[in-house]
Amino acid sequence: IDIWGRLLNAKKAAKKDYKATEYDLSFLALSSLIRSIQAYFKTVEAYGQSIIAKESYESFQEIRNLVKDRYKKGLKSSLDYRLAETSVSTSKVKLENKNLDLANMKRFLETLIGQYPSSNINISKTLPSSLPLLEETLPGDLIIRRPDIKSHFLKLESAGYLLAQSKRNLLPGISVSGSAGTATKRLQDIFNDENLVWNAGLALSLPIFNSGKLKAASKIEEARMKIVKNNLEKALLKAFSEVEQLLSLEQSLAIQIEVMKNAVNQSLDVYKLSKERYDKGITSLELVLNSQSRYNNIRSQYLTLIRLRLENRLSLLLALGGKRN
């Protein structure tokens, strides 16, 4: 007879643990989804980086061919020609590395979705240019939106029930016992009512000899509850810290993207102007090659920043526990 609620507390604790496990799995599913999308955007970026590397290689080839033609005519020195050839070679190596990165990212995506890693998966050619709007203020119900935080709360409740159960184990208990059997040596008399033996009654148990063991078990549950409570506090602080950091990074990336966008336009103008001046014999080939490299490096950084902002927004969505219902 569960007069002190031992079994009831154990039952409640089990239910809380079960629900906590469901929340853990839910957060794991959301996290896996976010990481998969981020991996997809990295693959799209890798495609863009390979295109930039290809255009850079073709541009260096164009410059090399121009210098080579003029070198054969005696209009340019061998120094210019060798500089141009060097730029073509280094840009070719960079192009191969970018193509390899793209192939590896495609294989990673194919592995995620259970396909053979043949690097033939179709992906978007560009990253999204717009993002969903952020909520103006942090919701006050963040602690009940994140599945992992809700899991920590349930684990704390479960620890409380187990602690209550351990303390009630020190109290005397009442159990109901019953048995039935036969008392005959002959097979044909087994089903004779006169041979049936019944035993039923109540038993009172006092935790006298096991009190030390039960008290130790109760102290263990108290320590366990403190650990669970500390884990909850750490999880809450970590959750709010993640959100604050991601919000700060969101603002910083927005500024960097705007500045880098202007840098892309300016570096393109510098490259075009240096080419024109080189054709007129006003500037050196080295300046043309450097401006071309700078232009493509800035384009590459700009593309990475766009991807990082998308990645940060997804991480922020995960930190907030998903969209508000």
Side-chain angles (χ1 to χ4, degrees), residues 39-58:
Y40 177 80
F41 286 150
K42 283 183 179 180
T43 308
V44 177
E45 184 209 350
Y47 172 79
Q49 298 289 3
S50 69
I51 294 299
I52 293 174
K54 181 181 178 182
E55 292 176 354
S56 177
Y57 173 65
E58 292 173 349

Side-chain angles (χ1 to χ4, degrees), residues 26-92:
S26 175
F27 189 72
L28 177 61
L30 177 60
S31 177
S32 299
L33 177 62
I34 294 296
R35 303 308 177 200
S36 298
I37 298 173
Q38 290 174 336
Y40 177 80
F41 286 150
K42 283 183 179 180
T43 308
V44 177
E45 184 209 350
Y47 172 79
Q49 298 289 3
S50 69
I51 294 299
I52 293 174
K54 181 181 178 182
E55 292 176 354
S56 177
Y57 173 65
E58 292 173 349
S59 179
F60 278 124
Q61 278 187 316
E62 181 184 350
I63 296 173
R64 188 273 314 274
N65 294 337
L66 177 63
V67 174
K68 183 178 180 180
D69 182 62
R70 294 183 179 182
Y71 169 67
K72 289 181 177 179
K73 295 179 180 179
L75 300 176
K76 295 295 178 182
S77 66
S78 62
L79 177 62
D80 283 358
Y81 175 63
R82 295 180 189 280
L83 280 174
E85 282 288 1
T86 301
S87 298
V88 170
S89 299
T90 55
S91 63
K92 178 62 175 178

Side-chain angles (χ1 to χ4, degrees), residues 158-215:
S158 172
Y161 286 126
L162 292 176
L163 176 59
Q165 180 193 18
S166 67
K167 290 182 177 181
R168 283 166 172 76
N169 285 337
L170 295 170
L171 301 174
I174 299 176
S175 61
V176 179
S177 61
S179 63
T182 60
T184 179
K185 295 182 180 180
R186 298 183 357 172
L187 185 62
Q188 62 268 29
D189 293 334
I190 288 180
F191 298 102
N192 190 335
D193 291 343
E194 296 179 356
N195 295 319
L196 290 177
V197 178
W198 295 87
N199 180 25
L202 297 176
L204 178 65
S205 62
L206 297 175
I208 298 176
F209 299 104
N210 288 328
S211 61
K213 178 180 179 181
L214 296 177
K215 288 180 180 179

Side-chain angles (χ1 to χ4, degrees), residues 44-319:
V44 177
E45 184 209 350
Y47 172 79
Q49 298 289 3
S50 69
I51 294 299
I52 293 174
K54 181 181 178 182
E55 292 176 354
S56 177
Y57 173 65
E58 292 173 349
S59 179
F60 278 124
Q61 278 187 316
E62 181 184 350
I63 296 173
R64 188 273 314 274
N65 294 337
L66 177 63
V67 174
K68 183 178 180 180
D69 182 62
R70 294 183 179 182
Y71 169 67
K72 289 181 177 179
K73 295 179 180 179
L75 300 176
K76 295 295 178 182
S77 66
S78 62
L79 177 62
D80 283 358
Y81 175 63
R82 295 180 189 280
L83 280 174
E85 282 288 1
T86 301
S87 298
V88 170
S89 299
T90 55
S91 63
K92 178 62 175 178
V93 172
K94 189 173 183 178
L95 174 59
E96 289 299 318
N97 288 331
K98 295 300 181 181
N99 288 337
L100 183 61
D101 290 341
L102 175 59
N104 290 337
M105 287 303 303
K106 283 187 173 182
R107 291 189 180 96
F108 179 71
L109 285 183
E110 289 167 336
T111 303
L112 279 180
I113 61 178
Q115 292 184 1
Y116 184 82
S118 60
S119 184
N120 293 323
I121 188 173
N122 293 322
I123 61 172
S124 175
K125 306 304 180 183
T126 57
L127 291 170
S129 57
S130 60
L131 296 172
L133 295 176
L134 282 173
E135 298 174 3
E136 294 183 359
T137 58
L138 278 179
D141 58 348
L142 173 62
I143 59 176
I144 62 173
R145 284 179 58 180
R146 281 187 53 155
D148 60 326
I149 299 299
K150 291 192 282 188
S151 172
H152 279 289
F153 273 107
L154 289 172
K155 289 174 182 177
L156 181 60
E157 292 183 47
S158 172
Y161 286 126
L162 292 176
L163 176 59
Q165 180 193 18
S166 67
K167 290 182 177 181
R168 283 166 172 76
N169 285 337
L170 295 170
L171 301 174
I174 299 176
S175 61
V176 179
S177 61
S179 63
T182 60
T184 179
K185 295 182 180 180
R186 298 183 357 172
L187 185 62
Q188 62 268 29
D189 293 334
I190 288 180
F191 298 102
N192 190 335
D193 291 343
E194 296 179 356
N195 295 319
L196 290 177
V197 178
W198 295 87
N199 180 25
L202 297 176
L204 178 65
S205 62
L206 297 175
I208 298 176
F209 299 104
N210 288 328
S211 61
K213 178 180 179 181
L214 296 177
K215 288 180 180 179
S218 180
K219 290 182 179 180
I220 291 175
E221 292 300 330
E222 287 181 359
R224 178 175 175 271
M225 186 171 182
K226 290 181 180 179
I227 293 174
V228 174
K229 185 178 180 181
N230 288 335
N231 290 339
L232 171 59
E233 293 175 353
K234 291 179 181 179
L236 282 171
L237 289 174
K238 182 180 178 181
F240 285 112
S241 177
E242 287 175 353
V243 172
E244 291 294 339
Q245 290 179 11
L246 292 170
L247 285 173
S248 297
L249 182 57
E250 174 75 21
Q251 296 175 356
S252 176
L253 287 172
I255 296 174
Q256 293 181 55
I257 287 175
E258 191 63 28
V259 172
M260 193 60 68
K261 182 178 180 181
N262 179 63
V264 170
N265 296 328
Q266 295 296 332
S267 62
L268 176 59
D269 291 339
V270 170
Y271 170 56
K272 290 180 178 179
L273 185 59
S274 64
K275 263 185 85 174
E276 292 176 2
R277 292 190 173 186
Y278 178 74
D279 290 338
K280 296 177 181 179
I282 300 177
T283 188
S284 65
L285 177 64
E286 186 177 4
L287 179 61
V288 178
L289 297 176
N290 289 338
S291 62
Q292 202 273 354
S293 297
R294 188 181 303 109
Y295 167 60
N296 286 298
N297 287 337
I298 292 175
R299 290 174 66 197
S300 176
Q301 294 175 37
Y302 179 64
L303 182 60
T304 299
L305 284 174
I306 293 176
R307 192 265 302 169
L308 286 175
R309 191 180 184 191
L310 288 168
E311 187 174 293
N312 185 74
R313 183 62 61 89
L314 289 167
S315 296
L316 183 57
L317 181 64
L318 177 62

